[in-house]
Amino acid sequence: MRKTKGFTFRKIIPPSPKSSLTRPRPFKAYSFVPFSPLAMLDPTILTLGGIVLGIAIIEQILERWGAIDLVDQFAKVMRFILPVTFYSALIYFFATFIF
């Protein structure tokens, strides 16, 4: 039988270089997006959202009552009003939001 030699871990892998005891310098970190979800509670945006939500509820009620022709007219108008309202509110929000 052959005789096996044993190696200690420190002999196989050299020790890592000692790190210096100096502390790293602190640095300031800045957020590029100072955004708070509470900023969406702007009364103008809430009013626009309430109006759009109210029109959608009225449209659903008219559909249940069977006034399909009136619902179709609402849908044609809302197809134009919804994107315009959304983009206007988005532009207003970013124009009045203080960075």
Side-chain angles (χ1 to χ4, degrees), residues 2-54:
R2 289 184 178 180
K3 187 176 179 183
T4 57
K5 273 189 166 181
F7 291 103
T8 62
F9 182 74
R10 295 190 187 272
K11 285 184 180 178
I12 297 172
I13 297 176
S16 62
K18 302 268 183 181
S19 62
S20 65
L21 296 176
T22 60
R23 293 183 180 170
R25 290 185 298 172
F27 64 95
K28 293 182 180 180
Y30 295 100
S31 173
F32 291 109
V33 184
F35 179 73
S36 170
L38 295 177
M40 293 298 287
L41 295 177
D42 185 32
T44 305
I45 293 182
L46 289 177
T47 303
L48 289 173
I51 290 170
V52 170
L53 185 63

Side-chain angles (χ1 to χ4, degrees), residues 72-93:
D72 188 39
Q73 293 297 324
F74 263 106
K76 286 179 184 176
V77 171
M78 292 303 288
R79 201 173 298 150
F80 173 74
I81 290 178
L82 282 177
V84 170
T85 305
F86 172 74
Y87 288 117
S88 299
L90 194 65
I91 290 170
Y92 171 79
F93 175 72

